[in-house]
Amino acid sequence: FIGWDFVKGHHLPMDRTGHGTAMAAIMAGTFGNGVGASGICPKCSVLPVRFLNWEGLGDTEDAILGMQYAIREGASVLNVSFAGEGYDKDLLKAIQLAGKKDVVVVVAAGNDGENLNQSPIYPAKFQEPNMLTVAALDEEKKLLDSSNWSSKYVTIAAPGDEIIEPWHDKWDVGSGTSQATAIVAGAVGLIRSINPGLSAAQA
């Protein structure tokens, strides 16, 4: 689907940094075309929503508008691979709205190498039944050095070390909790496509 650009305010959410395109490919990249790597759910549809500018900076308000937009448009999974400091009740309400609309929200734990128990990193620290907070693993299935962690706030860990992804005009590798989050979001999309009767919390 085409999606929406909340930075420019129009219906062409072109990726200026490369991050969104890379995450989309990890989640749902085409299978069997002989290029790059397959996504986790290659037949899943993607609705791109842009709220970050070319520097990778954006407002939480635009992120919330983007989440609300995706929920209205019928998304079953939201990939939320951004993190910031400070509690925001409106961001929590957006995740709770997703829960009421039966949408799974998959959130990056963040790349500070910190224990979330002592760090005010959100939305990673929200705890909702329709939400998964994702840490990143290295190739030895150990916690990636840069990944945030927490036995209380992190729900699951996934591969996040040198994941094959498109980067502008070539294929490259990327590392971090964003890549791990995209893998989990793709897996949730696959689960929900195979078992559409599962609720968000069950998925």
Side-chain angles (χ1 to χ4, degrees):
F1 298 95
I2 295 175
W4 193 263
D5 185 333
F6 285 89
V7 178
K8 296 291 187 179
H10 57 61
H11 220 341
L12 292 171
M14 304 307 292
D15 186 2
R16 306 299 181 193
T17 66
H19 183 270
T21 300
M23 298 310 105
I26 293 169
M27 288 185 281
T30 302
F31 174 76
N33 64 353
V35 178
S38 168
I40 301 297
C41 187
K43 294 187 178 180
C44 281
S45 300
V46 174
L47 178 73
V49 176
R50 178 177 180 239
F51 82 97
L52 298 177
N53 64 17
W54 64 274
E55 295 178 295
L57 303 174
D59 295 326
T60 304
E61 182 180 352
D62 287 339
I64 293 167
L65 290 172
M67 293 169 70
Q68 293 170 340
Y69 168 81
I71 294 165
R72 285 196 307 272
E73 292 297 311
S76 63
V77 185
L78 300 185
N79 179 80
V80 180
S81 52
F82 66 85
E85 292 190 1
Y87 175 91
D88 190 308
K89 70 179 189 320
D90 291 327
L91 183 56
L92 174 59
K93 286 180 180 178
I95 294 171
Q96 292 171 336
L97 173 65
K100 291 175 184 176
K101 299 296 184 180
D102 201 35
V103 179
V104 179
V105 182
V106 186
V107 174
N111 302 309
D112 310 296
E114 296 179 355
N115 185 342
L116 290 176
N117 293 2
Q118 282 84 46
S119 300
I121 305 298
Y122 291 91
K125 289 186 73 167
F126 291 136
Q127 295 176 294
E128 294 297 317
N130 64 311
M131 179 180 146
L132 296 165
T133 296
V134 185
L137 301 174
D138 64 19
E139 292 181 347
E140 297 179 353
K141 299 181 181 178
K142 296 178 180 178
L143 188 74
L144 192 67
D145 288 343
S146 60
S147 176
N148 291 344
W149 79 94
S150 168
S151 59
K152 181 177 181 180
Y153 297 108
V154 169
T155 322
I156 192 170
D161 191 16
E162 297 194 355
I163 305 300
I164 297 172
E165 60 187 28
W167 196 253
H168 299 291
D169 59 349
K170 65 182 187 301
W171 285 84
D172 205 340
V173 293
S175 300
T177 58
S178 288
Q179 284 75 8
T181 299
I183 286 174
V184 173
V188 172
L190 189 62
I191 289 167
R192 300 205 84 182
S193 66
I194 294 169
N195 298 285
L198 292 179
S199 69
Q202 288 171 326

